[in-house]
Amino acid sequence: MPTRILFVCLGNICRSPAAEGVFATLVEREGRSAEFELDSAGTGAWHVGEPPDARMRRAAEARGITLTGRARQVTAADFDRFDLIFAMDRQNRTELLERAPPDQRHKVQLFRDHDADAPGEDVPDPYYGGADGFDDVLDIVTRTGASILASIRHPVPPSGHD
Ligand code: 4NP
């Protein structure tokens, strides 16, 4: 069974597609793609159907990472389907916890609680800021994604007996 991970921000055009794309790249580099099913979504619906923000895509491309997918809003079914739901900021986490059925709330975590440099912090929203904000997001999601990936154990390989 793959580990199913959903990354969530407000618009699903900047931070969560970046977190998803970067995590997918980290997973690929370790040859672990079969272990994960990844997606991203937004708590808001303003950008539904749009590709990731062009500024975010450019910044990612400069690091050899292609951001794909179209923005969608979080649905009730997501709480069932995913094993881990990472909120990019505390407001996203509050909204997710409000929408999650009580028995699924444990799946909702603040993404940067896995960032040893700044646990409890938000991934800053780069939407209204300058170009530096997008690179900053990529640095944060790379560092934090690597920490999350390292914390999810490899499945035990077949023993090779018989
Ligand atoms: P994201 O960034 O949540 O990282 O996708 C935003 C995108 C759009 C808006 C806010 C944040 N907006 O207000 O339209």
Side-chain angles (χ1 to χ4, degrees):
M1 283 281 281
T3 302
R4 296 183 173 88
I5 304 177
L6 183 67
F7 301 91
V8 177
C9 61
L10 178 61
N12 192 210
I13 54 170
C14 296
R15 292 166 293 172
S16 61
E20 178 194 352
V22 165
F23 195 83
T25 301
L26 295 171
V27 159
E28 258 167 50
R29 284 180 191 156
E30 291 196 7
R32 297 177 63 186
S33 295
E35 287 178 46
F36 296 94
E37 207 176 284
L38 308 173
D39 198 4
S40 64
T43 58
W46 304 282
H47 297 279
V48 167
E50 294 178 20
D53 186 284
R55 298 165 295 173
M56 193 76 251
R57 278 188 282 135
R58 262 198 305 277
E61 276 305 333
R63 299 182 185 206
I65 297 161
T66 301
L67 303 184
T68 58
R70 298 269 167 175
R72 71 174 183 86
Q73 195 172 18
V74 172
T75 67
D78 287 327
F79 295 103
D80 248 344
R81 178 164 155 236
F82 289 92
D83 304 304
L84 289 166
I85 301 174
F86 287 118
M88 294 296 114
D89 67 28
R90 287 165 285 188
Q91 182 61 38
N92 305 147
R93 176 176 59 182
T94 298
E95 299 217 3
L96 287 167
L97 288 172
E98 280 169 9
R99 297 183 204 182
D103 63 336
Q104 312 280 20
R105 281 193 192 125
H106 64 279
K107 297 177 174 178
V108 177
Q109 298 184 23
L110 187 67
F111 182 70
R112 287 192 87 181
D113 275 349
H114 299 270
D115 180 0
D117 287 13
E121 295 284 316
D122 298 335
V123 180
D125 185 348
Y127 192 68
Y128 293 107
D132 284 1
F134 296 90
D135 268 319
D136 191 27
V137 167
L138 290 170
D139 289 343
I140 292 167
V141 301
T142 301
R143 183 172 67 237
T144 308
S147 156
I148 290 168
L149 181 57
S151 75
I152 300 174
R153 277 186 294 119
H154 288 263
V156 178
S159 69
H161 294 308
D162 303 324

